[in-house]
Amino acid sequence: MTKTPTSNSTSVITLATLRDMKQRGEKFTCLTAYDASFASIMEDAGIEVLLVGDSLGNVIQGHDTTLPVTLADMIYHTQCVNRGRRRALIMADMPFMSDAMPAQAFDNAARLIKEGGAHIVKLEGGEVMAETIRLLSERGIPVCGHLGLLPQSVHKIGGYRIQGRDDQSAEKILADARTLEEAGADLLLLECVPASLAEKIVNTVTVPVIGIGAGASCDAQVLVLYDMLGITPGKRPKFTKDFLKDSASVHDAIVAYVNAVKRGDFPAPEHTFS
Ligand code: KIV
């Protein structure tokens, strides 16, 4: 069995832990989790953040998009993950339109925390979500702002494609990052943006930045579990890597991912947009 990385201490992971890690320049790791068994293996392998992603709409439910996922689905899977969790931080996605209005977002985020057992909620969108983030944050609900490629806006964007490639859209994403931090976001997640833009954001905001397809300078990395186990339905995206291919078990594959992120070896240039 591959050795579990050093972060496998017994202390519970909190937002303060993640902020301290950013300050020390130590990377942390995140994977999507949808059930108790995988959550438990991830814990043993040293993952700090378990993301109950609405990508469950794709990989569990078999939909083409995340749009059909309901709040009840999210609460159910967050409860499942919570039963396998011992020390990791649980982040749960606000599903499509569950956060359309601030008051509605507040009620639904509270349910993810109260009924699901989430420690922080993640919601997609820039400046337009600032009022919601302020409301949640001021009432003690931690929030991660999701910027860059927003899968819930797939029909508006016209497909899953890299964001922030031209100067104007890069400036907008950078400005959104500042706005969300100022509104009270505790974490940011950047999906599919050029590495140079991600680096600028990481160096601009003080909150930890988790990247997926956003290059190696992010404070943390996240992957969809099924992608890093090589069981993606259809074509695996460029920014992912099959860690199970060269590992003896799921546990060892996750340890290999954790070690690669912490060493700064993943994502490599071939997983990165320039
Ligand atoms: O739902 C999810 O899995 C996500 C990741 C793509 C970051 O939000």
Side-chain angles (χ1 to χ4, degrees), residues 32 34 51-56 66 93 122 124 146 151 189 191 212 222-224:
T32 63
Y34 314 105
L51 169 61
V52 188
D54 61 356
S55 53
L56 68 85
T66 58
D93 266 337
K122 174 163 80 62
E124 295 184 12
H146 183 147
L189 185 144
E191 179 165 356
I212 177 165
V222 60
L223 284 178
V224 171

Side-chain angles (χ1 to χ4, degrees), residues 256-267:
Y257 165 68
V258 171
N259 286 333
V261 171
K262 289 195 183 275
R263 280 195 309 261
D265 294 347
F266 179 81

Side-chain angles (χ1 to χ4, degrees), residues 2 50 54 88 92 109 113 119 151 154 160 185 189 197 206 211 221 234-235 244 261 267:
T2 309
L50 306 173
D54 61 356
I113 289 176
H119 303 113
V154 59
Y160 298 102
L189 185 144
L197 171 60
T206 59
Q221 298 293 326
K235 190 171 174 281
L244 187 57
V261 171

Side-chain angles (χ1 to χ4, degrees), residues 236-258:
R236 187 160 43 78
K238 164 191 164 88
F239 54 83
T240 71
K241 179 177 169 179
D242 177 356
F243 283 90
L244 187 57
K245 196 158 50 80
D246 300 316
S247 302
S249 66
V250 169
H251 170 273
D252 286 3
I254 298 175
V255 170
Y257 165 68
V258 171

Side-chain angles (χ1 to χ4, degrees), residues 37-49:
S37 301
F38 276 112
S40 176
I41 295 174
M42 288 177 199
E43 284 269 357
D44 291 341
I47 294 285
E48 281 96 356
V49 181

